[in-house]
Amino acid sequence: MLGDLSADAFLQRYWQQKPLLIRHALANYRSPISGDELAGLALESEVESRLVESQGGDWTLKHGPFTEEDFLGLPEEDWTLLVQGVDLWVPEVQALLSQFAFLPPWRLDDVMVSFACPGGSVGPHFDHYDVFLLQVEGQRRWQIGAACSSETPMRDDSPLRILKEFEAEEEWVLEPGDMLYLPPGVAHWGVAETECLTFSIGFRSPSIADMLGDLSVELMTQGYDVHYRDPALTPAMASSNIHQAFIDQAKQQLWQAINDDDLISDWFARFMTATKYPELEEMTEEERHAIIRGRRYFNGDSVDESFEPR
């Protein structure tokens, strides 16, 4: 799947470092889900979905669940349907993840599937996580820009995280079976050349702030009740300006609170493997798959032709 690269070479030279285009990564792959079936998934309240329309350099965003009328009223160009966690609902999509066995399975976030009409796009943006973009049907043009950060200017007139400025440094048209790897922070812009299906295999990348917040809850849950104590004081430190010794003391006490391998290993394992959709936690994979297979718009070999997402 990595072309001429071994897994070791890919991890050493590209992972979280720079983009990689892989032609014919999965040349014979056939999508187990059609655009109609994807639209059907987006009708369900349990499924996270979005609909993005682009007109004249502006983007509009709607969140699912949608209705059939939402799709029937769409134009023939310039829109994209994105459905998260398709691997949770379609076992054949979940099976695709075996191709990524060279990466820790607990780093995986989900498989997002997008269907786009010609001109469909979510705008120039960047992500904070690693992603493999597998072109499954049709053609999509990808432009790759510079590295971005939290300081990169974003447009404030859009509900999407659209870059205020974007300049392409590389450009490729992906055909079915081609795959593009993007590390965190790289600006990119994908536009559908034809009707197309793209699978986005994303990997978890929580913010350090979120991690610290969750860890603090864990410490409180475990009854950690150590309180702040001053460093050795002198009269000169009785000032409205906080002396550096207090800062050093606070850092030391915070470090002592988390400098526990057993605590961190147990918490980190649970934090990084927590289900993305807790409301589905009590539902087994078989139950989820049975629900979808039972729908009229998703029944394996045949699709209800009366339902067209365009």
Side-chain angles (χ1 to χ4, degrees):
M1 188 184 67
L2 296 173
D4 296 332
L5 288 173
S6 67
D8 283 339
F10 169 77
L11 293 173
Q12 292 173 13
R13 292 162 53 185
Y14 293 96
W15 182 250
Q16 298 192 332
Q17 297 175 60
K18 57 184 178 180
L20 174 66
L21 172 65
I22 309 166
R23 295 291 188 189
H24 314 298
L26 291 173
N28 298 317
Y29 186 73
R30 296 294 178 264
S31 178
I33 184 170
S34 68
D36 292 334
E37 293 169 329
L38 190 70
L41 273 179
L43 304 182
E44 300 298 324
S45 59
E46 301 92 342
V47 177
E48 182 183 354
S49 58
R50 293 167 290 161
L51 189 60
V52 178
E53 294 185 68
S54 55
Q55 293 182 345
D58 293 320
W59 286 264
T60 59
L61 170 67
K62 296 179 182 177
H63 291 275
F66 299 103
T67 65
E68 294 187 17
E69 288 71 24
D70 289 324
F71 293 111
L72 294 173
L74 289 170
E76 295 185 357
E77 296 183 343
D78 302 331
W79 61 267
T80 303
L81 172 66
L82 307 103
V83 179
Q84 299 285 159
V86 177
D87 52 303
L88 293 175
W89 299 99
V90 184
E92 295 87 351
V93 173
Q94 190 176 65
L96 173 66
L97 301 179
S98 64
Q99 298 283 343
F100 299 88
F102 55 92
L103 293 163
W106 51 266
R107 285 282 282 108
L108 180 77
D109 192 13
D110 73 344
V111 179
M112 181 186 76
V113 178
S114 65
F115 172 87
C117 283
S121 163
V122 298
H125 66 285
F126 73 95
D127 301 309
H128 291 288
Y129 52 84
D130 301 90
V131 63
F132 291 89
L133 300 163
L134 175 65
Q135 194 61 31
V136 178
E137 293 180 2
Q139 297 175 319
R140 186 184 291 269
R141 182 179 302 275
W142 287 101
Q143 293 180 314
I144 309 303
C148 301
S149 71
S150 58
E151 304 300 319
T152 301
M154 311 295 289
R155 287 179 54 168
D156 55 12
D157 61 347
S158 172
L160 296 165
R161 295 182 62 255
I162 304 293
L163 292 169
K164 196 169 185 178
E165 297 180 357
F166 176 81
E167 184 175 345
E169 297 180 353
E170 294 182 278
E171 182 175 306
W172 303 294
V173 174
L174 268 63
E175 305 278 352
D178 294 342
M179 187 168 67
L180 176 62
Y181 163 71
L182 293 175
V186 173
H188 54 283
W189 190 356
V191 180
E193 297 277 289
T194 64
E195 284 192 1
C196 68
L197 275 176
T198 305
F199 286 16
S200 300
I201 299 92
F203 290 78
R204 296 188 179 200
S205 181
S207 70
I208 299 301
D210 285 342
M211 294 174 68
L212 287 173
D214 194 83
L215 180 56
S216 68
V217 172
E218 176 68 18
L219 287 171
M220 289 187 285
T221 301
Q222 294 194 12
Y224 190 83
D225 195 34
V226 177
H227 287 249
Y228 169 81
R229 292 292 182 268
D230 284 328
L233 297 183
T234 66
M237 296 166 67
S239 166
S240 58
N241 293 324
I242 298 178
H243 193 280
Q244 181 62 39
F246 292 106
I247 307 301
D248 294 339
Q249 177 78 349
K251 288 170 57 178
Q252 182 180 7
Q253 289 187 285
L254 289 170
W255 172 244
Q256 288 173 346
I258 64 173
N259 188 24
D260 183 327
D261 286 348
D262 291 336
L263 166 72
I264 297 299
S265 60
D266 177 68
W267 160 78
F268 185 72
R270 286 185 285 109
F271 179 77
M272 290 300 290
T273 58
T275 179
K276 185 177 182 179
Y277 301 100
E279 65 274 13
L280 303 179
E281 192 166 359
E282 296 181 1
M283 192 182 298
T284 66
E285 289 185 18
E286 290 75 14
E287 289 171 333
R288 290 196 300 270
H289 301 159
I291 287 174
I292 297 303
R293 291 297 184 188
R295 303 297 196 233
R296 68 177 180 84
Y297 52 79
F298 195 114
N299 53 15
D301 295 331
S302 61
V303 177
D304 183 351
E305 296 298 336
S306 66
F307 183 57
E308 293 287 339
R310 64 180 71 93

